[in-house]
Amino acid sequence: MSTEQQVGTTSPVPAGDTAPIVRTLTVAASPERAFDVFTAGMARWWKGDYHLGDQPFVDVVVEPREGGRWYERDADGAECTWGRVLAWEPPGRLVLAWQIGSDWAYDPGLLTEVEVRFTGMTGADGAVTTRVDFEHCGLEAYAKRAVEMRASLGSPGGWGGLLEDFATATAG
Amino acid sequence: MTTYGTVLDALGDPTRRSVLELVAERPQPVGELAARLPVSRPAVSQHLRVLKDAGLVTDTAVGTQRVYRLDTRGVAALRAYLDRFWDDSLAAYARAVEQDPAAPEERP
């Protein structure tokens, strides 16, 4: 999909490596349906390989309210948290807290945000489409988290790659 | 393990940890960091040198100043990964939206 648009942000431009991931796409459906499939229908499109639990998920739940949980559930009923709902404004806007570490594990100390806006449009032929503006921002939290983990002597997991970088950098 | 040792030594000093936290907030020059900390500018420079040797910060010349930022090479790799992840996921999402809800589900 090559529907990416470079959209300016109002915040100071972050370093390229932590700049938000921005996508814009248009779908042939109403905003209501687009919002519903993104939230209630997430298990229909979320790639099955990307589960945090030990077992593949049978459902992905976005609880329909601000403060709601965002989690997966496997066939045994075991639940695995992904994050939470920061803003629930159907059908126009949704903000999710994405708290998934670089190792695909839930990390309550990590906060990045996925914001999706749904804008209905009517074409000249009367067909209704929806523009979906997607943004995954706050990626600098991964870097901060790495610093915290290092500072706390905590688990070296989750950022093995960065530590390998250090090994290379300090050995050089 | 010298690597870990170097990093831990670098983070062993509370002022140095404060310097790193400020740099993690946003890239900034030495003067700005010194203004926000109760230590002299030469002391901040010294801390930055240790953090740089440990691979925790990088610096780039901007005009006459050197701007320090968190070394986020690991984050850059992660971002590239997430970029691809969202491309694939949003394409699957678009297909799901445009499917006739009554039609049988296609399994990717």
Side-chain angles (χ1 to χ4, degrees):
Chain A
M1 183 165 51
S2 56
T3 46
E4 180 172 10
Q5 290 180 355
Q6 289 303 322
V7 179
T9 54
T10 49
S11 55
V13 179
D17 43 23
T18 55
I21 293 167
V22 178
R23 294 287 184 277
T24 299
L25 49 147
T26 302
V27 291
S30 66
E32 287 77 9
R33 176 164 168 83
F35 187 97
D36 188 59
V37 172
F38 199 96
T39 54
M42 193 175 280
R44 292 179 49 202
W45 56 270
W46 195 273
K47 293 166 68 159
D49 297 343
Y50 293 95
H51 54 89
L52 276 60
D54 298 334
Q55 304 296 323
F57 59 78
V58 293
D59 201 7
V60 179
V61 179
V62 180
E63 292 183 337
R65 56 186 166 82
E66 188 178 318
R69 294 170 59 221
W70 179 24
Y71 61 95
E72 67 178 85
R73 189 171 52 234
D74 71 16
D76 296 332
E79 292 175 358
C80 207
T81 302
W82 291 5
R84 62 186 189 277
V85 180
L86 297 178
W88 180 265
E89 301 163 15
R93 180 170 173 264
L94 169 78
V95 184
L96 297 171
W98 164 285
Q99 298 179 277
I100 300 171
S102 53
D103 52 352
W104 287 94
Y106 174 64
D107 179 355
L110 177 83
L111 177 65
T112 71
E113 294 186 11
V114 170
E115 176 168 358
V116 199
R117 291 183 305 280
F118 304 87
T119 310
M121 301 178 292
T122 307
D125 57 355
V128 174
T129 58
T130 297
R131 195 182 77 222
V132 181
D133 290 297
F134 171 95
E135 189 169 314
H136 187 172
C137 62
L139 301 182
E140 59 277 6
Y142 283 105
K144 283 191 191 176
R145 189 67 182 139
V147 170
E148 286 165 16
M149 287 171 100
R150 280 178 239 137
S152 71
L153 289 187
S155 98
W159 262 118
L162 205 54
L163 286 173
E164 280 167 20
D165 278 348
F166 292 149
T168 313
T170 51
Chain B
M1 183 168 160
T2 48
T3 304
Y4 231 166
T6 313
V7 172
L8 294 179
D9 286 350
L11 292 168
D13 178 282
T15 307
R16 200 141 54 223
R17 280 202 301 273
S18 302
V19 171
L20 186 63
E21 277 158 23
L22 289 178
V23 171
E25 273 177 30
R26 64 171 192 276
Q28 49 199 305
V30 184
E32 208 171 307
L33 290 161
R36 296 173 68 189
L37 290 163
V39 290
S40 69
R41 190 178 169 135
V44 171
S45 293
Q46 181 58 38
H47 286 309
L48 285 166
R49 209 169 359 257
V50 175
L51 291 169
K52 189 178 168 181
D53 289 346
L56 290 162
V57 303
T58 57
D59 58 336
T60 44
V62 177
T64 57
Q65 292 185 308
R66 297 210 72 78
V67 171
Y68 288 83
R69 67 177 69 240
L70 202 63
D71 188 337
T72 53
R73 280 168 301 170
V75 177
L78 175 73
R79 187 186 184 281
Y81 174 80
L82 284 173
D83 243 340
R84 287 194 302 276
F85 169 80
W86 282 122
D87 266 347
D88 294 350
S89 296
L90 290 171
Y93 161 73
R95 285 195 300 272
V97 172
E98 292 178 352
Q99 262 172 29
D100 177 355
E105 304 247 325
E106 54 159 307
R107 297 305 303 175

